[in-house]
Amino acid sequence: MGKVSKLKLAVLISGGGSNLQAIIDACNAADYPAEIVLVFSNQLDAGGLERGRKAGIRAEAIPHKGYPGGREAYDAAVSTLIEESGADLVVLAGYLRLVSESFVTRWKDRLINIHPSLLPSFKGLHVHQAALDAGVKFAGCTVHYVVPEVDSGPIIAQAVVSVLPGDDAGKLAQRILKQEHRIYPQVIRWIAEGRVSVNDKGIVTVADAPQADFAEINPALEPG
């Protein structure tokens, strides 16, 4: 039998790349059905670029500040780079830059993001403090498809953490980040295995997903 083809990923980052590292670690497993073919950043000094290089992955950066032609031209250049890499799925992992509508359209249904709140609550920035200020008892993270409206795309999966007495934004963020590192590789696996579909109302179904190994993720379906 021939070698099974793996889903090819382009991972876009702006900083240290801890979610990138979680995906790299997942891809190192022989049975993981995806591989990273490109790490890209809009920041030349992003720490995640070195993570990619250490893992033997092509890592590129194009500074966005002062890029001739503005956002549309910049995103067109990024799209070209992704296309050249052969990536099937674009994974935003701490990519702190709003992408243009043309970029979203180009990668429709092949562009995912992770956001550190339980969407649709607390979109945008400073979400951990917003959650604390609202007095919620649960917080978490969401993996979703990207649409032109910020943090509004179809939700694929969520992971939940309790908000504890004495939490500040930093403590809550660290606890949520641990769940991000677990849920993102899981969702990529589901997509690579062809389990994820979206209906015309924007509701995601994960078909025949095995029970996750941690209770906080949804969907967490029974085996079989």
Side-chain angles (χ1 to χ4, degrees):
M1 294 178 65
K3 185 178 179 181
V4 176
S5 178
K6 294 190 174 188
L7 187 76
K8 294 177 172 57
L9 312 174
V11 183
L12 276 54
I13 61 167
S14 292
S18 69
N19 268 310
L20 166 65
Q21 188 64 56
I23 298 167
I24 290 173
D25 293 344
C27 289
N28 285 334
D31 67 342
Y32 195 73
E35 60 181 342
I36 304 171
V37 295
L38 175 68
V39 174
F40 174 81
S41 181
N42 61 316
Q43 302 286 353
L44 287 171
D45 59 352
L49 292 169
E50 186 59 28
R51 290 184 192 266
R53 292 179 184 126
K54 283 183 178 179
I57 302 165
R58 179 186 178 188
E60 303 280 354
I62 302 174
H64 67 273
K65 289 186 178 178
Y67 191 87
R71 186 180 302 275
E72 292 285 343
Y74 180 86
D75 281 359
V78 176
S79 260
T80 297
L81 196 61
I82 295 170
E83 289 167 0
E84 288 174 351
S85 76
D88 307 301
L89 181 71
V90 181
V91 179
L92 304 183
Y95 188 60
L96 303 179
R97 178 172 169 79
L98 293 177
V99 293
S100 62
E101 186 168 349
S102 60
F103 186 90
V104 173
T105 300
R106 170 65 186 83
W107 297 100
K108 185 177 187 298
D109 298 331
R110 295 190 294 154
L111 176 62
I112 60 174
N113 181 49
I114 192 161
H115 181 75
S117 80
L118 295 175
L119 293 174
S121 297
F122 311 118
K123 298 177 181 180
L125 302 175
H126 311 299
V127 298
H128 305 104
Q129 189 60 53
L132 293 172
D133 291 345
V136 300
K137 304 306 179 188
F138 295 95
C141 54
T142 302
V143 181
H144 63 96
Y145 285 108
V146 177
V147 297
E149 298 77 25
V150 175
D151 299 330
S152 298
I155 292 170
I156 304 169
Q158 296 178 306
V160 178
V161 302
S162 296
V163 178
L164 304 177
D167 266 347
D168 58 24
K171 291 177 182 177
L172 183 58
Q174 283 303 309
R175 210 155 59 253
I176 291 173
L177 190 62
K178 289 180 181 178
Q179 293 299 329
E180 292 181 39
H181 295 164
R182 302 171 87 177
I183 192 174
Y184 220 3
Q186 180 67 70
V187 167
I188 292 168
R189 174 184 284 277
W190 287 338
I191 292 172
E193 292 174 345
R195 300 180 185 273
V196 179
S197 60
V198 187
N199 69 16
D200 56 6
K201 294 182 179 179
I203 305 299
V204 172
T205 300
V206 180
D208 300 321
Q211 178 70 43
D213 64 354
F214 48 105
E216 300 90 346
I217 188 173
N218 191 308
L221 307 179
E222 293 299 327

